């Protein structure tokens, strides 16, 4: 699995079309919690996006949405996932959710995150 860490709204906007396609293929259309349109408005000014996108052979297979807490505008390494209601953390085919989450967490921990 190839991974990329997106750390800004602009980076997430660039892959949003592929994320929408993955969502259309894996979840019911009325569930919007796996879309950037759902995630981004919930990221406050005291946090920044830390979104892991997972690819296999160039195809997007998963997205894990987290946000990093900032202190005085500086990154803390503390990352939170989900939308405080239990959804909005992962977008992947149901049979791949655990794999995508585990792989994304390892990637976050290897890239400056020390608390999940």
């Amino acid at each position: 699995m190839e991974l990329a860490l997106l750390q800004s709204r602009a980076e997430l906007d660039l892959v949003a079309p592929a994320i929408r396609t993955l969502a259309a293929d894996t979840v019911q259309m009325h569930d919007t919690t796996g879309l950037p349109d759902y995630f981004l408005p919930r990221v406050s000014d005291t946090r920044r996006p830390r979104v892991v996108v997972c690819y296999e052979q160039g195809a997007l297979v998963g997205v894990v949405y987290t946000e990093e807490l900032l202190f005085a505008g500086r990154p803390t390494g503390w990352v939170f996932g989900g939308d405080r209601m239990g959804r909005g953390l992962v977008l992947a085919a149901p049979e791949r959710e655990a794999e995508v989450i585990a792989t994304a967490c390892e990637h976050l921990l290897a890239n400056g995150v020390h608390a999940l």
Side-chain angles (χ1 to χ4, degrees), residues 7-9 43-50 67-80:
Q7 301 184 70
S8 72
R9 294 171 189 268
V43 178
S44 73
D45 292 339
T46 60
R47 297 172 183 239
R48 73 170 175 176
R50 299 275 282 186
E67 53 187 352
E68 182 176 14
L69 180 65
L70 303 175
F71 181 74
R74 309 225 0 122
T76 63
W78 297 350
V79 172
F80 300 87

Side-chain angles (χ1 to χ4, degrees), residues 29-82:
M29 290 305 294
H30 67 275
D31 182 3
T32 61
T33 60
L35 299 176
D37 306 333
Y38 180 84
F39 171 73
L40 286 173
R42 288 159 179 76
V43 178
S44 73
D45 292 339
T46 60
R47 297 172 183 239
R48 73 170 175 176
R50 299 275 282 186
V51 178
V52 179
V53 290
C54 308
Y55 297 91
E56 280 188 344
Q57 300 173 348
L60 185 66
V61 295
V63 181
V64 174
Y65 293 99
T66 67
E67 53 187 352
E68 182 176 14
L69 180 65
L70 303 175
F71 181 74
R74 309 225 0 122
T76 63
W78 297 350
V79 172
F80 300 87

